[in-house]
Amino acid sequence: MSDFMLWLHANYIRPQIDAEEKGDYAFHFDLVRNTLPSAVWSSMDKCLEYAAIRAFSLGLKTGAGLADSVSRPA
């Protein structure tokens, strides 16, 4: 992961995720967090960081690819 993507995650992606309402998923996040020993929470956070960065990157690539195929009004 580039330093920029790690910075972007810490300063934009993660705050957006944290601010989002978890809804039905809150129970599952709590269950996983409470089941894991606290010693591995940082590893879980790194896995979530990786998944969030990859999902963000996929969104950028998909959006860029769609921009060429969407017709714009004249």
Side-chain angles (χ1 to χ4, degrees):
M1 249 0 104
S2 71
D3 289 343
F4 174 72
M5 290 306 286
L6 295 173
W7 177 90
L8 187 66
H9 178 266
N11 294 285
Y12 177 74
I13 300 170
R14 182 66 187 248
Q16 293 294 319
I17 291 171
D18 290 343
E20 189 72 27
E21 179 64 36
K22 301 291 186 281
D24 294 338
Y25 294 97
F27 167 77
H28 300 285
F29 279 103
D30 290 340
L31 179 64
V32 170
R33 174 78 63 183
N34 294 330
T35 302
L36 292 174
S38 58
V40 297
W41 287 359
S42 63
S43 292
M44 185 182 83
D45 287 340
K46 286 303 278 185
C47 290
L48 292 173
E49 175 185 80
Y50 176 80
I53 289 171
R54 298 309 307 153
F56 184 83
S57 297
L58 176 61
L60 287 177
K61 291 174 186 174
T62 303
L66 290 176
D68 295 334
S69 64
V70 175
S71 61
R72 294 184 182 94

